[in-house]
Amino acid sequence: MKITDTGDLWWKNAVVYCLDVETFLDWDGDGCGDFTGLAQRIDYLAELGVTCLWLRPFYPSPDRDVGYDITDFYGVDGRLGSHGDLVEAIRTARDRGIRVIADLVVNHTSDKHPWFRSARSSPNSPYRDWYVWRDEPEKEAGAPVFPDQETSDWQYDEKAGQYYLHRFYRHQPDLNVTNPVVRDEIAKVMGFWLQLGLDGFRVDAVPFLLETMGVTDGARKLPHPHDYLRELRGFVGRRSGDGILLGEVNLARDQQLEFFGGSDGDELTMQFDFISMQKLYLSMARQDARPLAEALLDRPPLALESQWATFVRNHDELTLDKLTDSERAEVFAAFGPDPSMQVYGRGLRRRIPAMLGGDPRRIRMVYSLLFSLPGTPVLFYGEEIGMGENLAAEGRYAVRTPMQWTSGKNGGFSSAAPSRLPGPIPDGGFSPEHVNVQDQRRDPGSLLNFMALLTKRYRECPELGWGSFEVLDQPYAEVLAHRCTWDDGSLVAVHNLGSEPRTVPLKLDDCDESVVLADQLCDGTTPLDGSGSAEIVLDGYGYRWLRVARPGDRGVW
Ligand code: GLC
């Protein structure tokens, strides 16, 4: 049966945009971004072509890990606004056809959460068993996630007289999901936000959530942790027919497949493709597209409902943990040679334009490539205008600086004194004077307008989100030529990761001289000859999106 309705599985060709309300736009002038500011900028996101907004944690929090340390799963951080303000922002987004998902951070709570306060106060607390306690720390599972701050996954608590498990910072005690009451509470949290209008969740740290490390009572360990993930997905489906779970699972391919629920596709709806992201950087560093091509070809086949989320930057360190030591060293040398640009020994704390020396050809090539990859692209706020990082900010905060709206005070983010902002704004070539939304909106040749073109073309080419993927043979290592086909539509994308111009011979076996390749990002058509061959001319760091246009095709122009 042919599937002609893409509407139900909306995530298969969504354009996702991730932002932190705190750093997006401060409407009341207190120095902190807020939901009212976000609501004011929904039209901006709609114009950019965003179809799904991912809100980073907005819950009450002592904010020692930008909100990933939560003290009330049902609340809204008062600095960002009220539940009412959040609902207004969601409503405005929905009105513009934008769905909204939010971080679900239930592997752990803040140590200031009332549950943990109660748990640590007495062994008889009803919340004691909501966390994972041991008299002696267990053998470490490996290096701590944040090796610069933590030496162990276990922390001794004076009050409790026991050690508790924390896979992240010590102020983030892990919840005990082997306790059925905790599992119920997590479902209630999800149900609450779905009822309020969210379309699903970006699920934080999924493998850590599922693990039962430190739980000694064998009878209580989850016999099949993946059953639990399946239950969560089923719950979202029941409560919100087309709600999604977009999971953070930075594991090897075969394990990722498990987190999708294998060929049944009944666990996570989407997963970030961390591996292709890392190989893309290796490919760029080497000017050799083959590592990226191999990573894409190595993706396991997925169920129709499942999808990869592609990205080139997120809010964390740009992790290179899946590369070998020498590959990582190559990427460090190319894009972040100074130790101050690196973090945790495995990642970079820079944004793309700075890593690429501000070279507009390379920057555009990367985003053209991102949007042409099979999957659903995810942008991190500020990427669309080419924001840089501020290395003066600590650790991962270097890439979490306020959004740059204008060339004015605080980049138009806030009218407050600079000392009250959530972080320092970049200076030098990436300062708001040089990089801001207002200027780029008025400039037809700006990166912002180029990104809007990419989102438009991506949405017009459902084969990118839905289709089959093949790498086309051609002679240049620095070139990636690939083709996505779905239904009777087919798109060829050709990217040159090298600085030298290339004329790339391509052959499409199922085509003949009746077919032309129609450029989608610029004017032009390239005829094929009788054997389905053509030569595609690319500048250094050039890119082309070519629709395989057959005579009589409708919808091709
Ligand atoms: C995830 C988040 C990261 C956070 C960590 C702990 O990895 O992406 O920002 O620090 O979880 O919640």
Side-chain angles (χ1 to χ4, degrees):
M1 195 185 77
K2 249 192 194 173
I3 296 148
T4 47
D5 177 11
T6 60
D8 288 338
L9 309 185
W10 59 268
W11 57 91
K12 291 284 285 190
N13 64 337
V15 175
V16 184
Y17 187 96
C18 166
L19 64 84
D20 195 339
V21 176
E22 185 179 357
T23 50
F24 203 56
L25 181 64
D26 167 22
W27 199 250
D28 61 10
D30 65 355
C32 180
D34 42 49
F35 278 108
T36 310
L38 170 59
Q40 297 294 328
R41 289 294 184 267
I42 295 289
D43 283 317
Y44 164 76
L45 298 176
E47 238 175 79
L48 175 60
V50 171
T51 67
C52 175
L53 184 57
W54 155 21
L55 298 177
R56 305 233 345 268
F58 52 74
Y59 318 98
S61 160
D63 218 16
R64 296 180 66 190
D65 184 14
V66 281
Y68 286 91
D69 47 331
I70 295 168
T71 51
D72 176 5
F73 287 123
Y74 298 98
V76 172
D77 188 328
R79 296 170 315 133
L80 310 179
S82 63
H83 282 90
D85 298 325
L86 164 70
V87 169
E88 286 304 302
I90 296 176
R91 190 211 69 83
T92 311
R94 289 208 135 228
D95 181 66
R96 311 301 195 267
I98 299 177
R99 296 174 192 258
V100 184
I101 64 172
D103 257 287
L104 178 74
V105 190
V106 287
N107 171 67
H108 49 264
T109 67
S110 160
D111 62 354
K112 302 282 182 292
H113 195 295
W115 301 340
F116 188 71
R117 284 180 193 265
S118 169
R120 79 190 337 175
S121 69
S122 153
N124 301 321
S125 156
Y127 293 101
R128 183 71 160 203
D129 188 46
W130 285 41
Y131 296 88
V132 184
W133 300 97
R134 295 293 303 269
D135 290 333
E136 291 299 327
E138 241 189 25
K139 206 171 142 279
E140 303 293 339
V145 175
F146 299 126
D148 62 331
Q149 309 257 340
E150 302 295 347
T151 51
S152 167
D153 289 333
W154 294 93
Q155 175 65 29
Y156 185 70
D157 188 66
E158 293 287 348
K159 246 192 194 152
Q162 282 191 304
Y163 290 83
Y164 63 85
L165 177 68
H166 64 89
R167 293 308 300 264
F168 294 94
Y169 296 112
R170 73 187 68 177
H171 59 77
Q172 292 167 324
D174 274 35
L175 280 167
N176 177 9
V177 292
T178 70
N179 181 339
V181 184
V182 170
R183 295 205 295 276
D184 267 0
E185 188 70 30
I186 290 175
K188 277 186 220 163
V189 168
M190 295 167 75
F192 178 83
W193 294 111
L194 291 173
Q195 196 73 30
L196 217 70
L198 290 188
D199 293 287
F201 303 94
R202 179 267 188 188
V203 191
D204 192 54
V206 189
F208 293 127
L209 172 66
L210 252 52
E211 80 180 1
T212 50
M213 176 175 166
V215 176
T216 42
D217 179 354
R220 300 209 33 210
K221 284 208 184 238
L222 299 176
H224 302 291
H226 282 275
D227 286 348
Y228 177 42
L229 194 51
R230 203 167 293 122
E231 270 174 33
L232 291 179
R233 171 74 180 279
F235 179 79
V236 172
R238 289 195 301 282
R239 288 293 173 92
S240 139
D242 59 358
I244 60 161
L245 295 178
L246 162 57
E248 183 195 27
V249 181
N250 181 11
L251 294 176
R253 291 287 193 216
D254 51 338
Q255 290 166 292
Q256 286 185 307
L257 183 59
E258 268 186 76
F259 280 85
F260 275 121
S263 54
D264 292 335
D266 54 0
E267 296 185 31
L268 294 172
T269 329
M270 299 214 270
Q271 284 178 57
F272 295 102
D273 189 350
F274 279 97
I275 295 177
S276 299
M277 180 279 286
Q278 302 189 34
K279 295 290 184 176
L280 188 151
Y281 279 90
L282 182 63
S283 277
M284 288 203 294
R286 288 186 180 165
Q287 308 212 353
D288 177 347
R290 288 171 299 182
L292 172 61
E294 281 157 22
L296 293 166
L297 291 170
D298 196 36
R299 286 173 168 183
L302 301 182
L304 183 75
E305 297 77 18
S306 306
Q307 178 67 313
W308 296 103
T310 53
F311 69 107
V312 291
R313 199 39 180 119
N314 68 8
H315 62 285
D316 283 328
E317 77 280 10
L318 195 155
T319 185
L320 302 167
D321 67 333
K322 294 287 176 289
L323 302 182
T324 64
D325 290 349
S326 67
E327 289 171 342
R328 190 176 316 109
E330 283 179 66
V331 178
F332 278 166
F335 301 129
D338 195 287
S340 71
M341 300 166 174
Q342 304 163 10
V343 65
Y344 312 137
R346 61 170 183 256
L348 287 162
R349 50 190 215 104
R350 305 191 77 191
R351 281 183 178 255
I352 284 187
M355 290 194 273
L356 299 181
D359 183 342
R361 298 170 308 161
R362 272 186 113 177
I363 297 167
R364 286 172 195 229
M365 188 276 292
V366 173
Y367 287 105
S368 165
L369 184 54
L370 171 67
F371 277 86
S372 74
L373 293 181
T376 295
V378 182
L379 287 176
F380 180 50
Y381 79 95
E383 285 193 278
E384 72 276 22
I385 53 169
M387 269 169 55
E389 70 280 354
N390 189 334
L391 292 175
E394 191 217 321
R396 295 175 293 169
Y397 289 85
V399 298
R400 299 167 176 174
T401 59
M403 181 68 181
Q404 298 174 193
W405 295 105
T406 71
S407 58
K409 179 180 169 184
N410 299 328
F413 161 74
S414 169
S415 57
S419 60
R420 299 185 66 195
L421 304 189
I425 287 178
D427 43 26
F430 292 101
S431 68
E433 199 192 330
H434 302 288
V435 177
N436 69 73
V437 172
Q438 193 174 54
D439 289 351
Q440 294 196 23
R441 273 171 66 121
R442 291 173 182 163
D443 171 5
S446 67
L447 181 63
L448 177 62
N449 280 310
F450 176 69
M451 295 288 243
L453 175 68
L454 290 177
T455 62
K456 232 182 264 162
R457 294 294 177 263
Y458 171 79
R459 295 282 292 167
E460 287 172 4
C461 300
E463 46 277 81
L464 296 175
W466 287 80
S468 61
F469 167 76
E470 61 186 304
V471 172
L472 302 176
D473 275 344
Q474 49 75 39
Y476 299 109
E478 62 274 37
V479 170
L480 177 68
H482 69 276
R483 181 176 179 186
C484 293
T485 303
W486 181 69
D487 231 353
D488 44 15
S490 190
L491 188 87
V492 170
V494 197
H495 288 82
N496 181 3
L497 277 63
S499 53
E500 294 301 315
R502 291 287 176 236
T503 300
V504 184
L506 289 184
K507 182 164 165 17
L508 306 183
D509 289 330
D510 58 334
C511 297
D512 58 25
E513 70 272 23
S514 67
V515 173
V516 295
L517 298 178
D519 271 291
Q520 300 294 297
L521 300 180
C522 59
D523 276 342
T525 43
T526 308
L528 295 182
D529 68 15
S531 68
S533 303
E535 298 209 316
I536 305 300
V537 178
L538 291 176
D539 293 334
Y541 304 121
Y543 45 85
R544 309 261 301 264
W545 289 30
L546 304 158
R547 173 157 295 291
V548 179
R550 296 169 195 278
D553 268 354
R554 281 168 299 166
V556 174
W557 61 89

